[in-house]
Amino acid sequence: MKIEILPSLLAADFGRLADEIIRAEVSGADALHLDIMDPHFVPNLSFGPDVVALSKKVAPNFYRNVHLMMSRPDLYLEKFAAAGAQTLQIHIEADCDLHTELRRIQALGVKRALVLNPETPAERLLPYLDEVDEILVMTVHPGYGGQKFIEECLSKVSLFRKLRPDLDIMIDGGGNSETIPLSAKAGANQFVAGSYLFSQTDMRKAVEDLRKSVKGLVQ
Ligand code: DX5
Ligand code: ZN
């Protein structure tokens, strides 16, 4: 599987957002992870389609992976696709018909992913296993950056890897030089890191080191 490192823009300096997007792109990271939050689904708010559009404007070739932490993602799919989302990740805990919404995402020409919160059992994903391009396993409770990695979530990664050896599996939350290799051993091949990467003075070196740390572990 292709190794992918994704800086999460949530940890960027919002006063210099355009520069931060470019800093993430020139670091050699594979894609930008954009965290969209509504306060019904998580106890926080972040940003909306305008920031996705800004990312497309300042870094058109930097892949945009958009994580919708929303109760009703179905109301916003077109808006995020039009803004430049290339993968849309919707939560399995959302309040909508997932089979329908996954089909709608695909019809928009965007990759489809389902996301599971830490407390959500792996079995909930099984009916959708053949309807997604990627699975995102949350390794923190969504809502904030900078939280501690929950290692127990990795058993879901291992199970999904066993069931779908060919599918992209991402972890999100608390990603750093220790937890990312652990996630790779469990079977993940895509790794989000927000506060860890944006706090580096040399993001390029940090991305390179993370990549080296999982080489040989990613199946
Ligand atoms: C959590 C977000 C994560 C977060 C990751 O609600 O979905 O993407 O930004 O940030 P770190 O890597 O700092 O845990
Ligand atoms: Zn995220």
Side-chain angles (χ1 to χ4, degrees):
M1 298 297 304
K2 185 176 180 251
I3 295 167
E4 291 192 29
I5 311 284
L6 299 94
S8 165
L9 195 62
L10 193 63
D13 176 351
F14 281 19
R16 309 168 37 249
L17 210 44
D19 290 343
E20 291 282 78
I21 293 164
I22 292 166
R23 180 159 78 104
E25 183 183 33
V26 302
S27 75
D30 301 275
L32 186 64
H33 182 78
L34 294 120
D35 284 309
I36 314 297
M37 298 178 186
D38 86 45
H40 298 281
F41 193 74
V42 292
N44 199 7
L45 280 159
S46 58
F47 45 75
D50 288 352
V51 172
V52 179
L54 174 74
S55 307
K56 184 175 180 182
K57 188 171 159 211
V58 303
N61 300 320
F62 193 26
Y63 192 93
R64 290 168 295 281
N65 174 262
V66 178
H67 178 189
L68 300 179
M69 284 164 273
M70 306 175 75
S71 303
R72 292 291 309 273
D74 53 310
L75 302 177
Y76 292 87
L77 297 178
E78 282 80 10
K79 282 201 178 77
F80 282 103
Q86 290 166 292
T87 297
L88 280 171
Q89 305 178 314
I90 60 174
H91 273 257
I92 205 155
E93 306 86 2
D95 193 10
C96 59
D97 182 76
L98 297 169
H99 294 292
T100 306
E101 301 316 320
L102 290 169
R103 261 200 311 277
R104 281 180 63 218
I105 294 172
Q106 190 179 37
L108 289 165
V110 172
K111 285 198 173 169
R112 311 151 294 176
L114 276 180
V115 190
L116 289 92
N117 280 338
E119 66 278 6
T120 303
E123 291 66 37
R124 288 270 305 274
L125 187 92
L126 303 185
Y128 308 99
L129 254 191
D130 296 324
E131 297 171 32
V132 293
D133 302 299
E134 176 185 271
I135 299 169
L136 171 56
V137 175
M138 291 307 297
T139 42
V140 296
H141 296 284
Y144 297 92
Q147 302 182 78
K148 194 176 172 296
F149 185 84
I150 306 171
E151 201 173 327
E152 290 72 39
C153 300
L154 293 181
S155 59
K156 288 187 264 187
V157 171
S158 307
L159 175 70
F160 297 144
R161 177 53 73 219
K162 217 188 287 157
L163 295 172
R164 287 292 308 268
D166 55 322
L167 195 64
D168 283 319
I169 302 178
M170 182 180 294
I171 59 99
D172 181 18
N176 60 36
S177 55
E178 283 168 20
T179 58
I180 286 181
L182 280 182
S183 311
K185 264 187 219 149
N189 66 300
Q190 299 175 317
F191 312 95
V192 175
S195 43
Y196 178 73
L197 283 177
F198 275 97
S199 67
Q200 304 281 335
T201 43
D202 188 348
M203 199 193 289
R204 171 175 278 278
K205 181 167 187 315
V207 167
E208 215 176 275
D209 289 348
L210 283 180
R211 214 185 282 288
K212 275 192 210 139
S213 74
V214 296
K215 243 195 177 146
L217 298 177
V218 169
Q219 299 127 30

